[in-house]
Amino acid sequence: MWSADEIAGLCYLHYRTRLPKQGKPDPNREWTSLAAVVKVESAAQREALDSPENLQVTKEVVAMGTGTKCIGQNKMRKTGDILNDSHAEIVAKRSFQRYLLHQLWLAASHQQCIFSPGTETGKWKLKPNIIFIFFSSHTPCGDASIFPISEPENQLPKPVTEGHAGGQSAECRSDHNHLCPEDERKSEKMARNCIIKRMKTDDGGCFSITTEDLVVQHGSVKREDNANQKSCQCSAEMQTANKESGLVRPKVVDVHRTGAKCVPGELDDARIPGLGYHCVGLLRVKPGRGDRTCSMSCSDKLARWNVLGCQGALLMHFLQYPVYLSAVIVGKCPYSQEAMRRAVIERCQHISSLPDGFLTQEVKLLQSDLQFEHSQQAIQEVQSNSKTKLVPCSAAISWSAVPEQPLDVTSDGFRQGTTKKGIGSQQSRSKICKVELFHKFQKLVTSISQEDLPDTLRMKTLKTYWDYKEAALNYQEAWRVLRSQALLGWVKNAEEYLHFT
């Protein structure tokens, strides 16, 4: 049992108490974004049968990331020792992979961990009483961030938000499902295309609109393979107030914009001032300072993880099934359930012929009512009378629930404090950069005898990072299917950036 607010509160507490001041923003002039992975573990089935009234659920932050920056393609390195993408969601996900690697090492050395043996030699699967929840203090950049900004003609009192209804009922406290029933009902309600939808104004107020009020013009782009038609949301007209029902009909004035740019060669944004500025449902790359990046938006990456799992190709060698997220929770900020659903779930819902074990997940999407203390919105509210220009914090913090050096603070893709002369040294590397995670993975492989290794690694002569990734055959097949049927135009790193050892 858990609620959106409970998960958000746990993450904020972890940020305040477990992360040092180093790498955090100066609240007088800086802001940052926060993301985390929370493990929710219910009592093992046997214990639950013995005493169902005392069912224990433990919630623990196992990975955390902060950050807002991304390096341009000219700063990318062929040695795998730089973090290309330091947005909080990606730092948290890579920190989570570091945690999973440690848990696999515990499994291989017959210690207590989150995995139990799979049915194939050398493979493991997540214990059935454990789930993972992803938390982000803000809406992911890219497609999930594109939704209407509206002005209500008369401000209505603010109803309870989707994330969690203030005080929990006794039903919520005693229920032993993973999801609190109040949130379960909200999640199901929001997942349906219900007639009345809620929209948020910039000041946090809410009002309802009916779906027929939103006039959407569709434009489609024809690809050579005639697959994956994209819709372009170009206009929305709102009617006047319905006096009988008392519903306020908002005047839609603009859309929330994302800095993420459409991928090269695909349909582009119309950039018409107002509602026609962006097209929705498109793949996007993160913006860089002049130098374009090769990093896909966080919305796109979440959609990918929702099909392929969060573990990546390397760890798939040791796993019978991908490690999926059971829920994605967003903190208090401008948010649209419809846009989140479109970006994370719906773009990939139609795909077929995935290899065994891979699924198109129906991940739960929820919003909390709790705001992150160092978010852009929170800092702006505190500094409303200040003339100081607010800027995003240049540092990124990575934290993993591992025994050795759990914390890592980086700037511009390298450990904070790295000089130009120090770039390329062991000391300059983040613990979650490609080469560091690869070396940890290789140590795990060499610690296991040949006969106990999974089939994809047994008696193989694999050398480079690329070799090991490509050898994870079922993962690569799932990724090929996903790219060909849904995420066409995904910007992949050139092979030359992956040939390090």
Side-chain angles (χ1 to χ4, degrees):
M1 179 202 72
W2 52 269
S3 72
D5 279 2
E6 193 180 359
I7 298 297
L10 187 69
C11 294
Y12 297 156
L13 179 66
H14 191 95
Y15 173 82
R16 280 196 301 272
T17 59
R18 301 292 296 276
L19 267 54
K21 197 173 178 183
Q22 186 197 2
K24 287 181 179 176
D26 171 355
N28 294 314
R29 59 181 196 89
E30 293 179 322
W31 57 272
T32 196
S33 297
L34 174 76
V37 179
V38 175
K39 179 183 76 166
V40 178
E41 184 171 2
S42 55
Q45 213 168 1
R46 191 167 57 253
E47 296 164 42
L49 289 171
D50 291 343
S51 54
E53 71 284 354
N54 296 325
L55 189 88
Q56 294 297 305
V57 176
T58 58
K59 293 167 279 285
E60 178 194 357
V61 175
V62 294
M64 183 165 276
T66 72
T68 63
K69 304 285 187 179
C70 217
I71 66 161
Q73 58 188 3
N74 291 331
K75 285 189 175 177
M76 288 171 65
R77 290 166 60 85
K78 296 175 184 177
T79 42
D81 60 357
I82 190 168
L83 280 179
N84 295 337
D85 188 341
S86 293
H87 278 217
E89 296 96 320
I90 312 310
V91 175
K93 184 258 194 179
R94 296 188 73 80
S95 304
F96 181 51
Q97 288 176 323
R98 192 179 172 209
Y99 164 79
L100 292 176
L101 254 173
H102 175 66
Q103 291 293 317
L104 282 168
W105 183 84
L106 291 175
S109 50
H110 311 289
Q111 296 182 59
Q112 184 67 30
C113 68
I114 63 171
F115 296 113
S116 58
T119 53
E120 297 171 43
T121 303
K123 295 236 177 188
W124 302 87
K125 58 185 181 183
L126 193 63
K127 287 177 180 174
N129 59 319
I130 293 173
I131 63 164
F132 292 106
I133 297 169
F134 193 83
F135 174 77
S136 177
S137 63
H138 57 289
T139 302
C141 67
D143 197 50
S145 294
I146 304 168
F147 52 91
I149 302 171
S150 307
E151 289 178 345
E153 290 172 25
N154 295 307
Q155 190 65 47
L156 282 178
K158 187 183 174 191
V160 173
T161 63
E162 295 98 324
H164 179 51
Q168 266 188 12
S169 64
E171 179 193 8
C172 285
R173 287 193 296 272
S174 63
D175 187 85
H176 58 255
N177 290 328
H178 287 309
L179 186 61
C180 161
E182 287 180 15
D183 277 342
E184 184 81 67
R185 286 193 293 271
K186 285 167 200 155
S187 179
E188 285 169 8
K189 184 182 173 187
M190 289 187 286
R192 293 196 301 267
N193 270 332
C194 50
I195 296 302
I196 293 182
K197 297 191 177 188
R198 293 177 57 261
M199 300 183 81
K200 291 194 171 186
T201 58
D202 280 344
D203 62 1
C206 300
F207 45 86
S208 299
I209 62 166
T210 54
T211 46
E212 55 263 38
D213 290 338
L214 192 63
V215 181
V216 179
Q217 293 178 359
H218 292 286
S220 63
V221 57
K222 246 188 181 176
R223 298 183 51 88
E224 287 174 9
D225 54 9
N226 289 325
N228 208 36
Q229 289 193 339
K230 305 289 186 183
S231 69
C232 182
Q233 184 170 315
C234 298
S235 72
E237 295 173 14
M238 297 299 168
Q239 298 168 3
T240 53
N242 180 334
K243 293 181 175 62
E244 282 181 29
S245 67
L247 284 179
V248 176
R249 305 293 188 192
K251 178 186 167 193
V252 174
V253 292
D254 203 348
V255 289
H256 284 281
R257 294 183 186 178
T258 179
K261 312 290 183 222
C262 298
V263 295
E266 294 284 292
L267 185 70
D268 205 355
D269 288 320
R271 294 194 184 89
I272 302 162
L275 291 162
Y277 190 84
H278 279 309
C279 287
V280 298
L282 303 180
L283 289 174
R284 295 172 180 273
V285 288
K286 287 167 181 161
R289 283 189 166 180
D291 182 17
R292 197 174 186 127
T293 81
C294 292
S295 297
M296 300 300 293
S297 75
C298 290
S299 292
D300 299 335
K301 289 185 178 183
L302 276 162
R304 175 182 172 170
W305 304 341
N306 200 42
V307 178
L308 302 184
C310 284
Q311 74 294 319
L314 292 186
L315 298 193
M316 205 61 219
H317 282 288
F318 288 105
L319 295 171
Q320 192 149 340
Y321 307 108
V323 177
Y324 287 116
L325 299 168
S326 293
V328 175
I329 296 170
V330 174
K332 186 180 179 182
C333 66
Y335 175 88
S336 160
Q337 182 72 15
E338 190 178 354
M340 273 291 284
R341 201 180 152 72
R342 176 189 71 224
V344 177
I345 300 173
E346 290 174 358
R347 291 191 289 176
C348 304
Q349 238 175 357
H350 63 279
I351 67 171
S352 59
S353 308
L354 284 166
D356 284 352
F358 289 89
L359 309 161
T360 50
Q361 284 275 105
E362 185 70 32
V363 65
K364 288 182 170 65
L365 303 172
L366 295 163
Q367 188 182 22
S368 164
D369 228 359
L370 305 180
Q371 189 178 53
F372 176 45
E373 63 186 285
H374 288 156
S375 69
Q376 187 172 9
Q377 211 173 351
I379 300 294
Q380 278 171 343
E381 285 165 12
V382 173
Q383 299 292 334
S384 56
N385 298 323
S386 170
K387 290 181 180 174
T388 309
K389 187 188 173 188
L390 296 181
V391 294
C393 180
S394 61
I397 306 172
S398 157
W399 182 91
S400 303
V402 297
E404 291 176 28
Q405 290 180 268
L407 196 76
D408 207 42
V409 181
T410 57
S411 185
D412 287 322
F414 293 111
R415 293 278 287 278
Q416 199 173 47
T418 300
T419 59
K420 277 192 177 179
K421 200 175 175 182
I423 290 174
S425 67
Q426 180 86 35
Q427 292 74 29
S428 70
R429 295 176 188 166
S430 162
K431 291 290 180 191
I432 58 168
C433 71
K434 286 187 181 75
V435 74
E436 283 290 310
L437 289 177
F438 180 43
H439 288 171
K440 278 281 183 199
F441 171 81
Q442 284 178 307
K443 277 185 181 174
L444 172 63
V445 174
T446 54
S447 74
I448 300 167
S449 60
Q450 280 292 324
E451 63 269 20
D452 292 332
L453 282 172
D455 185 48
T456 50
L457 295 174
R458 203 178 308 132
M459 308 305 288
K460 299 284 194 294
T461 50
L462 305 170
K463 290 180 181 176
T464 66
Y465 179 72
W466 167 268
D467 293 339
Y468 277 94
K469 278 172 72 84
E470 288 299 300
L473 300 176
N474 61 343
Y475 181 91
Q476 293 302 343
E477 173 59 14
W479 184 208
R480 187 196 62 76
V481 168
L482 178 58
R483 278 201 320 275
S484 64
Q485 294 184 31
L487 304 180
L488 299 96
W490 186 281
V491 177
K492 287 182 77 181
N493 284 338
E495 199 180 313
E496 60 190 13
Y497 289 104
L498 306 171
H499 278 302
F500 52 85
T501 54

